[in-house]
Amino acid sequence: MVPEGFSRVAAVDCGTNSIRLLVADVNPATGELLERDRRMTIVRLGQDVDRTGRLAPEALERTFAACREYAGIIRELGAAEARFVATSASRDAENRDDFVRGVLDILGVEPEVISGDQEAEFSFTGATKELKGRDDLTKPYLVVDIGGGSTEFVVGAEHVRAARSVDVGCVRMTERHLVHDGKVSDPPTEEQIAAMRADIEAALDLAEETVPLREARTLVGLAGSVTTVSAIAQELPEYDSARIHHSRVSRDRVREITEWLLRSTHAERAAIPSMHPGRVDVIGAGALVLLAIMERIGAEEVVVSEHDILDGIAWSVA
């Protein structure tokens, strides 16, 4: 049963590394969002896009398989409306029409290949809507969404003041800098790490041209790289969304974790109990992006949010 005053909606966020579904009952009048189902599947849609400019056939098939699963859940839960948002990888690909047609056939809704600025707006809404009234978090916020192909930066208080999307993400940085002879270096060399860091710093320079990153008083971090760093920091025996949501991780702890991840082997990272198998090869790059941001703006800690672009998409449907 959908509670009185609520609408049941479905939101799908298809990024470079993962595709995620949220089915929720939302009440625009009260600002309440009641989660009914939230799930994530690693599909690596952005596999080799940075190199080839095209979505690989096997990456498309992995994504379509997840879409078929999600279509069943949406039908079962009876969502009245759905919105499918696609981000960095499908924005960059020459054969994006194949992706659009496949999703439309399976879900009956056309994926919207949104701009980086739109992506940032959704992320900000999803991450900050429930922070209103918190007197322990000083505004303005800097919301940082570290994805597979891109990272979104949004500064704002009640509303977005400035936003920018730049092409650094955990998959893109891994494929660009940490792959040698077709395999991810295990572990990477100091030269590879230095080249990756330089790329990230250049992207931060770009972001700072339009977003006043250093004016933010609270850093809010979104997406799998950030939530995984929080899970590692807490030494969780398994991934626990409730304990990760609104946790805080100090810059020193992020640095310690990042340095370990970049020195570790695939087997060592895979043995972390909270680590999703699909993140094992890309988590080092994602953690380095987070650390570079914290060092650039002087953030003492990051507030980790499990509510992000998906929640923003759900609100946009309502």
Side-chain angles (χ1 to χ4, degrees):
M1 289 286 292
V2 180
E4 189 174 345
F6 286 77
S7 302
R8 182 159 296 175
V9 300
V12 181
D13 167 38
C14 186
T16 303
N17 195 43
S18 62
I19 183 169
R20 299 180 306 138
L21 169 70
L22 171 64
V23 179
D25 296 335
V26 291
N27 187 330
T30 63
E32 290 176 274
L33 183 149
L34 306 175
E35 186 178 309
R36 299 305 176 200
D37 197 302
R38 187 188 295 259
R39 60 185 65 202
M40 181 269 291
T41 310
I42 300 283
V43 294
R44 199 65 64 86
L45 178 62
Q47 172 192 328
D48 293 332
V49 166
D50 195 51
R51 181 175 60 82
T52 67
R54 296 180 63 81
L55 298 168
E58 61 271 28
L60 282 170
E61 186 43 51
R62 290 193 298 267
T63 305
F64 294 154
C67 287
R68 285 188 279 272
E69 178 192 344
Y70 290 179
I73 294 161
I74 292 168
R75 279 195 304 271
E76 184 183 329
L77 292 176
E81 290 186 76
R83 189 171 188 179
F84 188 116
V85 166
T87 53
S88 179
S90 49
R91 215 168 32 230
D92 299 341
E94 292 172 10
N95 58 335
R96 68 174 68 175
D97 289 348
D98 295 343
F99 168 72
V100 171
R101 277 195 303 272
V103 171
L104 186 57
D105 287 348
I106 295 164
L107 283 165
V109 59
E110 186 167 330
E112 301 170 59
V113 181
I114 62 172
S115 69
D117 287 345
Q118 288 174 296
E119 194 174 339
E121 185 87 35
F122 285 145
S123 294
F124 186 82
T125 302
T128 64
K129 200 167 184 75
E130 63 187 341
L131 299 180
K132 288 179 180 176
R134 290 273 299 262
D135 55 12
D136 59 328
L137 299 177
T138 310
K139 297 173 185 174
Y141 306 115
L142 169 60
V143 175
V144 174
D145 188 341
I146 303 172
S150 62
T151 295
E152 283 63 56
F153 297 86
V154 198
V155 166
E158 303 303 325
H159 302 286
V160 172
R161 180 174 148 201
R164 184 73 179 262
S165 177
V166 295
D167 283 341
V168 289
C170 60
V171 174
R172 196 185 295 267
M173 289 298 94
T174 300
E175 291 187 346
R176 187 178 291 175
H177 296 291
L178 304 186
V179 174
H180 182 67
D181 290 337
K183 293 182 179 179
V184 177
S185 298
D186 189 27
T189 66
E190 291 299 325
E191 290 76 14
Q192 287 175 312
I193 294 169
M196 181 165 62
R197 180 71 188 242
D199 221 359
I200 294 167
E201 294 293 346
L204 291 176
D205 291 341
L206 204 59
E208 279 201 291
E209 290 178 3
T210 48
V211 181
L213 302 181
R214 299 171 209 243
E215 291 180 20
R217 292 294 168 263
T218 298
L219 173 64
V220 183
L222 315 183
S225 292
V226 181
T227 58
T228 301
V229 166
S230 172
I232 296 169
Q234 297 182 66
E235 300 181 358
L236 298 181
E238 60 184 5
Y239 192 94
D240 186 336
S241 181
R243 290 182 62 183
I244 291 167
H245 188 49
H246 289 173
S247 61
R248 302 184 187 199
V249 188
S250 72
R251 185 171 70 228
D252 287 345
R253 188 76 174 109
V254 171
R255 183 181 296 110
E256 181 184 320
I257 290 166
T258 302
E259 289 174 353
W260 183 85
L261 289 169
L262 290 171
R263 286 196 312 268
S264 63
T265 64
H266 181 280
E268 287 169 333
R269 294 190 300 276
I272 298 170
S274 57
M275 180 74 68
H276 190 289
R279 295 205 187 279
V280 174
D281 284 335
V282 299
I283 185 60
L288 186 60
V289 174
L290 174 61
L291 177 62
I293 293 165
M294 296 181 79
E295 291 178 345
R296 173 69 66 103
I297 70 171
E300 294 296 332
E301 65 176 12
V302 58
V303 178
V304 181
S305 179
E306 284 274 13
H307 292 183
D308 50 30
I309 188 172
L310 260 185
D311 302 73
I313 297 165
W315 282 114
S316 76
V317 177

